[in-house]
Amino acid sequence: LVVREAPVATEAIFECTVDTISQTYSFIHGEWLQTSGYEYDHSAPDFEYYPPAAPSGEQPVFIHIPVTPKA
């Protein structure tokens, strides 16, 4: 386990499951970013949060995407 500090960022958070994580990333980068009022913030990392749960394909996952308002 490695602890790292991440810079403060505004994040869009997407909920999915372990089974649908790939489709969720495809939606975020293929559709949502183009139609939202935000753009990807490259100064901060994106990350996935896996809350405690029994491992299964239905385990919840929260994808945090750093964003900034479009100019």
Side-chain angles (χ1 to χ4, degrees), residues 6 9 19 21 25-26 31 33 40 42 46 55-56 63-64:
D19 281 348
I21 199 165
Y25 272 111
S26 292
E31 295 178 41
L33 281 170
Y40 191 90
H42 294 281
D46 61 277
S56 75
I63 300 173
H64 294 244

Side-chain angles (χ1 to χ4, degrees), residues 5-67:
E5 285 191 38
V8 174
T10 299
E11 299 169 340
I13 302 172
F14 298 85
E15 184 176 0
C16 62
T17 65
V18 170
D19 281 348
T20 62
I21 199 165
S22 177
Q23 295 94 328
T24 304
Y25 272 111
S26 292
F27 167 74
I28 293 166
H29 293 286
E31 295 178 41
W32 187 82
L33 281 170
Q34 282 87 25
T35 60
S36 74
Y38 297 94
E39 57 190 5
Y40 191 90
D41 180 358
H42 294 281
S43 69
D46 61 277
F47 65 93
E48 300 159 9
Y49 170 64
Y50 296 81
S56 75
E58 295 300 314
Q59 178 180 356
V61 179
F62 295 90
I63 300 173
H64 294 244
I65 302 294
V67 293

